[in-house]
Each structure stands twice: as C-alpha cells, then as structure tokens.
Amino acid sequence: MLSPAPAAPLSLADLIAGLRAAGEDTRLRILALLADGELTVTDLTDVLGQSQPRVSRHLKLLAEAGLIERSREGAWAFFRIADRGLSGSLARMLLQRVDPSDAVLQVDRERLAAVRLQRAESAQAYFAKHAAEWDKIRSLHAPESVVEAAIRTVIGSKPIDSVLDLGTGTGRMIALFAPFARRLVGIDASHAMLAVARSNFEREAVKGVELKQGDLYALPVERNAFDLVILHQVLHFLDDPSRAIREAVQALRPGGRILLVDFAPHENEFFREALAHRRLGFEAEQVSEWLGDCGLEEIRVDRIEPPHIKAKSGASTDQQLTVLIVTARDPRRLLADEGSLA
Ligand SMILES: C[S@@+](CC[C@H](N)C(=O)[O-])C[C@H]1O[C@@H](n2cnc3c(N)ncnc32)[C@H](O)[C@@H]1O
C-alpha cells in the first residue's frame, strides 16, 4: 500500500489524550500488534495472556483516544490502527519509534504468528471445501492472470487513493490493487470468506486493509468516498444486480470509477444448482444501461474470450465463458473541472 500523506498537527487536547492512552505497557503492546493488521479481542487475549475484560478495557481506552478503530463482523469485533482522524497517524508515528527487537514485542509477535497460523488453517479448510467448484469455473474462462492483466490495463497504473472491493471473497482484487492504493476496503457478507481474505493478506503481506462484513444492498461505508469501486464476479450471485450497482455508485467520489467484472450470457445451467449463481451472465448493453441510469459516463466494455481449451478441460465450447470488464466514471468532478475552466 502507498504511504499515507503527512498528517496534520493534532490539537493539544487530542495529543495528550492519545499519548495518555498509548503510554501504558499493555496498550503500547496492543498498538504494536495491531500495526500488522486487524485482530479480535480473542486474538489479543491469546497473545497477551490477559483476561478478556482487561484487554477489552485497554481497547476501549485506545478507541476513545482515536488511536484504534473497531468494526463489527457478526458476533465478532475487529480492531485496527485508525485510518481516519489524526490520532491514527499519532499511533503510527509512535510505532515507528518503538524498537522492533524489543524482547517483549518479539515474544508477542511469535505468539501472534502461532494464533494466525491456527486461524489460517481453519479459513483455508473452508476454502478447500469449495475449491473444486471454483476450479471448475476457472477452467471455463481465460486464465485469471489474463483477466487481471486486462483489468490493470483498463484501470491504468496511476496511484489510486481509495479502493472499495464489494463481495471481496478471497480478497484477490484487493491484493491486485494494493501496490497502487492508499486505502483499501473490502466488504463481504460471509464471515468465512472474510477469514480466508484475512489469511491471504497475512500470507501475501498485504497490510492495512479494512475488511467489513456487510450487505452489498446496504453498504457499511461512507458515501462519496472511493476512487475505485469494484464488483468482481459478484453480480451473478445477486437477485437484484441493478440495485447493488446503484448502491455501489453511491460510494463513488466525484470523478471516481466503477469496475464490474462478470460473465457474458452463458448456458451453464448447472451453475445455478451447484454454485448458487442466480444470473447466467449479463449482456454488456444491460450492464451499460444500469450504469448510465445511475448517471455514470465514459462507459467502456472489454471482452475476454475463452481460450480454446476443449481438449484440456473436456468442456464443450458452448460451456466456455467470456469475461466482461465494464468500467464507468462518475462525471461530477469532470463537470466541476469544465466549469472552472470556463
Ligand atoms: C465468487 S465470490 C467473488 C469474490 C471476489 N470478488 C473475487 O472475484 O475473487 C462472490 C462473493 O460475494 C459475496 N456476496 C454474495 N452476495 C453478497 C451480498 N449480498 N452482500 C455481500 N457479499 C455478498 C460472497 O460471500 C462471495 O464471497
């Protein structure tokens, strides 16, 4: 992820509150542990060897001082270094000054690695249960590397301030954009998928991602806040894709772009029973119309045809899948810019 812009100064009151909250053994250890990614209270109690009420109390004080943020995921709560607000930058600045070879912090890190390993094993067990079905789909369309290269070409390689990935699943799109983006947020309804994404980010050293459990029809994020909003292989699961698109567009900043990746119409009826797909692909014209109805402009459609893979996969040509990549832009800033030029 790109480094955040230099932080504005804190008020005296906020600075004192932040330093007070951080200036205690366990709380500084908690901040150091969160520097590497989100953790639950249970993770922290396992690592710190302290009771849950004590750890919760420390977390409450750190959150009240704005140094950390909390997000709910069903019955679980995840804590992370605050991304917004000035106190998060204070937390990051303090952590830069801590000696990473400190013996206490080293033991904490080793215990955290053990906790993560356990978590990764159960997340991957869930993933493995579905892997065969996903492999079947993959075998019917162009390789993911080809699709991802096309996505990167369409989006371009300029840094992007904030990316929102809807139905993030394993978090692959976030990992793809992580080198180019400052802020990365992933939303998924499934707690199990979020666990898989978390474990993938840890393995691939993708840091600072905000993962939230939530519904695509009622997004738990700010409006007008993201430069790129992604729906990658998600629309075909939804009973009302146009409503999900309308909701996604609300999250766009003026001038921001939406990226939709899904299949063109196909006849693999078995996707419905075996894979819970509701829609057997989409006409590019239909998706473009939905985007146009939301007021988006610069609608662009790219198609990636399936390779000739009959011999290898045994799939007949009519089973094969064309991948559609559709992008569009929120015109608000463009109009404002034109106005300022006039
Ligand atoms: C096939 S996965 C795609 C994951 C990811 N975008 C990718 O391409 O690798 C679809 C994801 O959408 C999520 N999903 C489906 N319906 C949803 C909804 N209404 N709200 C939030 N997430 C949803 C599922 O839990 C699943 O993780």
Side-chain angles (χ1 to χ4, degrees), residues 250-266:
Q250 300 283 320
L252 283 177
R253 243 183 212 156
R257 279 182 295 173
I258 191 163
L259 166 70
L260 306 177
V261 182
D262 220 289
F263 299 123
H266 61 84

Side-chain angles (χ1 to χ4, degrees), residues 167-170 172 188-190 193 214-216 232-234 237-238:
T168 197
T170 59
R172 180 59 207 149
D188 205 288
S190 156
M193 289 309 288
D215 185 3
L216 301 188
H232 181 266
Q233 298 296 5
V234 176
F237 286 107
L238 304 179

Side-chain angles (χ1 to χ4, degrees), residues 106-118:
Q106 250 175 15
V107 172
D108 283 353
R109 271 200 304 276
E110 282 162 21
R111 289 199 189 132
L112 178 60
V115 166
R116 279 187 166 151
L117 186 66
Q118 216 174 14

Side-chain angles (χ1 to χ4, degrees), residues 171-189:
R172 180 59 207 149
M173 283 297 110
I174 290 205
L176 183 68
F177 283 99
F180 309 94
R182 183 190 63 81
R183 182 176 177 212
L184 297 149
V185 180
I187 310 284
D188 205 288

Side-chain angles (χ1 to χ4, degrees), residues 14-171:
D14 286 347
L15 187 56
I16 290 170
L19 291 172
R20 276 215 182 105
E24 194 275 341
D25 281 19
T26 305
R27 291 201 286 276
L28 199 53
R29 285 167 69 195
I30 290 176
L31 287 178
L33 286 163
L34 294 179
D36 248 7
E38 298 175 315
L39 296 172
T40 62
V41 181
T42 314
D43 294 336
L44 288 165
T45 52
D46 287 354
V47 173
L48 297 165
Q50 296 188 12
S51 71
Q52 201 238 317
R54 283 192 66 179
V55 171
S56 294
R57 164 116 191 102
H58 287 307
L59 288 167
K60 185 165 179 276
L61 291 172
L62 290 168
E64 279 169 2
L67 298 174
I68 64 171
E69 287 168 357
R70 176 181 192 274
S71 64
R72 271 221 90 73
E73 198 180 297
W76 292 17
F78 282 87
F79 294 87
R80 60 198 310 278
I81 301 287
D83 219 35
R84 277 146 290 163
L86 300 174
S87 302
S89 58
L90 173 65
R92 272 186 287 275
M93 194 263 281
L94 291 173
L95 290 172
Q96 276 169 8
R97 310 299 302 165
V98 176
D99 178 2
S101 63
D102 179 274
V104 174
L105 298 185
Q106 250 175 15
V107 172
D108 283 353
R109 271 200 304 276
E110 282 162 21
R111 289 199 189 132
L112 178 60
V115 166
R116 279 187 166 151
L117 186 66
Q118 216 174 14
R119 237 168 46 182
E121 277 167 5
S122 56
Q124 297 303 338
Y126 167 84
F127 190 63
K129 257 205 248 165
H130 298 269
E133 298 149 8
W134 289 331
D135 281 349
K136 166 80 181 154
I137 297 195
R138 254 185 234 122
S139 72
L140 296 175
H141 62 72
E144 266 149 26
S145 56
V146 172
V147 177
E148 290 178 6
I151 290 173
R152 289 290 329 149
T153 305
V154 171
I155 297 301
S157 52
K158 282 200 191 134
I160 303 170
D161 187 65
S162 45
V163 173
L164 174 64
D165 185 29
L166 302 178
T168 197
T170 59

